[in-house]
Amino acid sequence: MSVGAPKIPVVVTEVVQVNDLIKRFRFQRRDGDAMPTFSGGAHVVVEMDDHGTRRMNPYSLMSAPSDTSGYEISVRRDDVGRGGSLYMHTHVQPGMEMVLSHPVNLFPLDNRAKKHLMIAGGIGITPFVAQMAQLQAMGGRFELHYSMRSPALGAYAQVLKAHYDDRVHLYYDEEKQFIDLKNLLKGQPLGTHLYVCGPKGMIAWVRATATEMGWPALSVHSEEFLAPPVGKAFEVQLAASGKTITVAPNQSLLEAMEANGVEAPYLCRGGACGQCETEVHRCDGHIDHNDHWLTDEQKASNTKIMPCVSRFAGAALVIDR
Amino acid sequence: MSLDFNDETFRNDFTFKNSPKAIKRFPFPFPEDSYMYSVNMEPHVPGPKGSVFEHMFDVDEHYVAEMRDRAQVLADDPLRCQSLPHMELAGWDLLELIMESKARDYPQWFELHKNGNHWHWINRPLQIEQKFTFMDPTTLPCGPMEYITRQTQGDFTLQDQRDENLWVEAGMVTTQADWSLDFDIGMNFHQWHAPVPKAHEMGVFDRALKFLLKLQHGAPVRRFNWTMTVDPLLDTSPENYPKWGPGKTTMTPETIGSRQHLRVELQTLHRLPRSNAIAFPIRCYLIRFEELVTVPKWGRRLHRVIRDIPDELATYKGFLRNKPLMVDYLAQFDDGAPTSPGFWAD
């Protein structure tokens, strides 16, 4: 989000335990107005005040884009992460006031597609829930292949199956059911676009298989937000603002800058969108480039850093903020 | 025609003129005494009351006459309005944005009543009343983009966003400064800007594209562009160049004050919610030199800008031939006094 972009003051109206790992949250505007409509695949950034630590996590919207009465997200609890999902799971209750960004779509449908083929793994189902609702309303052609650990942990699987019937295919790891990707890709009509959202390994597998089978690169779309990894504390000099700050183990560099009153642009906060890209003036040490944005050459040259997910170890890091 | 709107023409007898009120609110585009390209974008937030920035879509005294001119252009050349099939959703987004904005900002002229997807639109200045079903194109006389842009001043293009680029794939273009939708449709951001001199070396387009790809819903931006037009022609299209181009050769010191117009485009950019496309309204404002110099600051400044502009830019903007005539005419309104910063009249 650009600094100063509009935000949406909301109240939590519903918290539903979907299964052992996933909770669903519904937000409505505090002033009772309608939410903006959005495009399937969009996310919002949820701002949290976690006992003095400001967390801003992106979550895909899963409610129907045409439903302007409220937004819904699903959050998978990550017990070893930095705490954003734990905060959502343990502290967020109906009636609580929170702040959302406007929707941003980094995983849009290509509206030219003759058919949309969707591959979801686990919690990666959420953007597809909104996209299918939008395609259904517009009469678009789609097919979902959704892989999950077990029936008990397969969020929304039965609801989607009941609603979309033979356009939804379910696969349970525990029952040794796996997507037959090669045959699936082989049988698609010309003009099909392929979308994948799920764990890193699944995205790599789908992309590699599609490439191997000659799918055009621009017909394959994926989204993977990275949670900023935890690590050791490190120090950074901010050249433009003349400050030296310390990034705590469970804090990202972007969050540390914000906590020190240095505003930097952002959209996804997950290493995907490129908005927070920052020049490195001096790097005497090693940058852990955790993003999907910089090229391998840029990463190797240490001339740029993505403060939302990347960390540093060494004697000195000076960046242009 | 009501008292709010001029009965005037942009062709043949050219009866277009600006009232004193319209001159005062004219969007003079030069904040300083010189001009060079820049990514001069700023948030499109409401500006001072009465200014062209007061509302999301400015409706002024030329509204009804401009819509009449657009209908004539379309009757002569239907290809001025085109929308590739996948852009229909963006057309609905645009229709919603404009109808909601106008009904909110000009309730005396426009009304929008919604009951679910059953919408009722009233446009009093154009005497239009339409009941239709939102997202059902069979309930409108034409596609949603064409429908609403036949009722809205300014040209419009809709850009699809994909593959880290923007693609111009729909538009209503009848008041353009010498470019053609029919020629450009389907091009990406770099392709359709290819003819612009100098800006590429300056990296302007790479930076502008990067900025626009991240444009957020609810946070529109705006910028100015400008050129020069002989006679108050809205439709200065390449298709019709033989009709308006030769007019540039008939300018004299006696006619330049009344025939030469500064043409200003207020360009805004809006992320559309359902389609994730970007709407690009290009609103054209015309002012004849005689009208413009009634604001002393603008007379002084325009003289300095035109006098000092590089020939390459004057060529691209199509007025190099008449530049000496313009400078001579404007010089009589420049006493050398300093001008205040910013574009507002003193």
Side-chain angles (χ1 to χ4, degrees):
Chain A
M1 167 170 338
S2 325
V3 176
K7 297 187 174 184
I8 309 176
V10 295
V11 60
V12 179
T13 56
E14 210 176 61
V15 179
V16 176
Q17 184 87 47
V18 178
N19 61 34
D20 281 354
L21 289 176
I22 294 171
K23 275 190 175 182
R24 183 173 73 242
F25 301 85
R26 184 174 177 83
F27 306 99
Q28 288 176 226
R29 284 183 68 111
R30 283 182 225 164
D31 59 14
D33 279 2
M35 292 285 201
T37 49
F38 62 94
S39 49
H43 72 269
V44 291
V45 172
V46 180
E47 297 191 9
M48 305 168 212
D49 176 10
D50 184 359
H51 307 90
T53 302
R54 183 176 174 229
R55 301 195 184 282
M56 303 175 83
N57 285 15
Y59 294 106
S60 295
L61 291 170
M62 58 170 294
S63 42
S66 58
D67 176 9
T68 56
S69 66
Y71 286 166
E72 290 179 8
I73 62 168
S74 283
V75 179
R76 184 185 191 279
R77 197 181 72 228
D78 181 358
D79 293 324
V80 295
R82 303 168 331 125
S85 69
L86 275 177
Y87 177 83
M88 292 297 293
H89 269 257
T90 50
H91 292 284
V92 175
Q93 305 293 339
M96 215 170 121
E97 295 192 337
M98 298 186 83
V99 174
L100 308 182
S101 72
H102 267 239
V104 171
N105 201 339
L106 302 175
F107 189 50
L109 294 169
D110 189 320
N111 289 321
R112 298 169 309 163
K114 305 297 181 199
K115 178 183 172 184
H116 305 272
L117 178 64
M118 302 163 172
I119 312 258
I123 191 67
I125 187 64
T126 53
F128 294 128
V129 178
Q131 288 180 333
M132 287 189 288
Q134 190 173 21
L135 286 170
Q136 170 88 344
M138 290 163 52
R141 186 174 172 198
F142 65 88
E143 192 177 300
L144 170 75
H145 294 261
Y146 176 18
S147 163
M148 64 222 100
R149 206 185 302 167
S150 65
L153 290 176
Y156 313 114
Q158 294 310 323
V159 181
L160 292 170
K161 182 75 191 165
H163 197 70
Y164 298 113
D165 196 24
D166 60 0
R167 285 176 289 178
V168 168
H169 304 258
L170 306 175
Y171 305 83
Y172 301 111
D173 295 352
E174 274 186 0
E175 297 174 17
K176 302 267 184 286
Q177 298 168 337
F178 302 104
I179 300 172
D180 181 3
L181 190 58
K182 280 197 172 156
N183 272 322
L184 181 62
L185 295 186
K186 207 184 287 174
Q188 297 305 315
L190 205 62
T192 300
H193 277 247
L194 173 63
Y195 307 83
V196 54
C197 185
K200 204 183 186 73
M202 176 186 230
I203 293 174
W205 169 61
V206 172
R207 280 199 166 273
T209 308
T211 304
E212 194 181 299
M213 294 179 64
W215 277 60
L218 296 177
S219 297
V220 183
H221 314 272
S222 60
E223 177 164 69
E224 183 198 5
F225 284 160
L226 304 161
V230 296
K232 288 190 175 141
F234 59 99
E235 203 168 78
V236 182
Q237 289 178 50
L238 308 179
S241 43
K243 294 184 179 180
T244 299
I245 62 171
T246 301
V247 182
N250 66 345
Q251 195 179 32
S252 72
L253 171 52
L254 179 62
E255 290 167 340
M257 286 195 283
E258 289 168 341
N260 283 278
V262 178
E263 294 288 349
Y266 66 85
L267 275 177
C268 77
R269 305 180 77 90
C273 78
Q275 188 74 348
C276 68
E277 181 183 301
T278 301
E279 298 282 332
V280 172
H281 288 331
R282 189 176 149 212
C283 172
D284 185 1
H286 177 75
I287 297 176
D288 289 319
H289 290 287
N290 295 312
D291 61 278
H292 292 314
W293 175 256
L294 298 176
T295 61
D296 289 344
E297 295 77 42
Q298 286 174 320
K299 287 178 181 176
S301 70
N302 280 339
T303 53
K304 291 179 191 296
I305 188 171
M306 309 306 291
C308 62
V309 290
S310 295
R311 304 186 73 84
F312 173 75
L317 178 66
V318 186
I319 65 171
D320 185 25
R321 284 288 177 211
Chain B
M1 185 142 340
S2 92
L3 291 174
D4 295 319
F5 302 104
N6 303 346
D7 187 4
E8 61 192 359
T9 56
F10 300 89
R11 56 180 69 212
N12 304 321
D13 57 348
F14 295 118
T15 61
F16 164 87
K17 67 181 186 60
N18 287 296
S19 69
K21 187 179 153 206
I23 294 172
K24 204 169 160 232
R25 76 196 296 278
F26 187 82
F28 187 72
F30 304 110
E32 51 190 27
D33 287 358
S34 63
Y35 172 77
M36 186 29 84
Y37 290 124
S38 59
V39 185
N40 51 341
M41 281 189 273
E42 60 173 8
H44 186 42
V45 292
K49 197 167 160 46
S51 75
V52 301
F53 302 135
E54 182 180 2
H55 300 305
M56 187 80 89
F57 296 95
D58 182 42
V59 178
D60 68 8
E61 65 186 27
H62 308 297
Y63 175 49
V64 175
E66 284 189 28
M67 293 301 96
R68 219 163 32 198
D69 194 71
R70 166 158 292 164
Q72 186 60 52
V73 173
L74 288 168
D76 295 342
D77 182 359
L79 292 178
R80 302 301 187 85
C81 179
Q82 299 188 46
S83 175
L84 300 186
H86 64 281
M87 298 305 283
E88 188 178 284
L89 184 62
W92 286 111
D93 276 332
L94 180 69
L95 175 140
E96 176 187 58
L97 175 67
I98 293 176
M99 285 188 177
E100 286 189 341
S101 300
K102 285 187 169 176
R104 176 190 66 227
D105 296 337
Y106 302 95
Q108 72 278 31
W109 295 332
F110 305 97
E111 285 179 36
L112 177 64
H113 304 281
K114 293 183 185 175
N115 179 10
N117 280 340
H118 297 285
W119 291 22
H120 182 190
W121 166 247
I122 298 170
N123 176 339
R124 291 204 181 81
L126 296 182
Q127 298 175 309
I128 292 170
E129 182 166 0
Q130 181 82 41
K131 291 182 175 165
F132 65 100
T133 305
F134 187 70
M135 300 281 273
D136 179 355
T138 64
T139 59
L140 284 177
C142 53
M145 178 193 70
E146 179 176 351
Y147 181 78
I148 197 58
T149 56
R150 277 178 178 269
Q151 302 178 43
T152 307
Q153 288 165 278
D155 285 343
F156 287 80
T157 63
L158 299 178
Q159 279 69 228
D160 196 22
Q161 179 163 335
R162 59 175 189 269
D163 313 332
E164 288 297 305
N165 213 321
L166 295 171
W167 305 81
V168 56
E169 292 177 332
M172 166 68 89
V173 179
T174 68
T175 67
Q176 69 276 54
D178 203 6
W179 72 278
S180 163
L181 175 72
D182 190 41
F183 187 77
D184 284 3
I185 195 162
M187 291 189 186
N188 69 29
F189 192 80
H190 290 104
Q191 290 168 329
W192 84 71
H193 281 116
V196 183
K198 282 185 183 290
H200 294 278
E201 301 99 89
M202 295 162 61
V204 166
F205 293 123
D206 290 334
R207 271 179 290 141
L209 176 61
K210 196 171 170 184
F211 176 85
L212 291 174
L213 290 173
K214 311 297 181 199
L215 183 69
Q216 274 193 276
H217 180 251
V221 295
R222 66 181 171 229
R223 69 180 290 261
F224 282 129
N225 199 3
W226 66 277
T227 187
M228 292 287 179
T229 300
V230 176
D231 298 325
L233 274 159
L234 286 174
D235 175 28
T236 49
S237 56
E239 286 91 338
N240 278 336
Y241 189 82
K243 294 183 189 166
W244 58 268
K248 291 192 247 186
T249 65
T250 60
M251 191 68 80
T252 67
E254 290 69 41
T255 57
I256 190 153
S258 59
R259 290 187 65 201
Q260 184 65 57
H261 291 69
L262 174 65
R263 181 188 193 101
V264 174
E265 291 175 352
L266 171 57
Q267 306 179 341
T268 56
L269 292 137
H270 309 253
R271 173 73 63 192
L272 297 175
R274 293 174 188 76
S275 57
N276 203 42
I278 288 182
F280 184 41
I282 309 158
R283 173 67 179 278
C284 168
Y285 294 87
L286 292 166
I287 190 168
R288 54 169 47 85
F289 275 19
E290 281 173 357
E291 293 170 337
L292 185 135
V293 299
T294 62
V295 177
K297 171 178 165 179
W298 294 351
R300 288 185 189 108
R301 179 166 290 169
L302 188 63
H303 170 246
R304 295 167 198 179
V305 168
I306 300 304
R307 182 192 61 199
D308 299 338
I309 201 164
D311 282 355
E312 201 176 357
L313 280 183
T315 302
Y316 170 66
K317 288 179 181 289
F319 67 86
L320 184 67
R321 177 193 185 98
N322 288 329
K323 186 176 154 186
L325 275 176
M326 292 178 190
V327 174
D328 287 347
Y329 173 82
L330 292 168
Q332 51 183 319
F333 303 97
D334 186 359
D335 55 9
T339 55
S340 58
F343 43 67
W344 304 105
D346 289 322

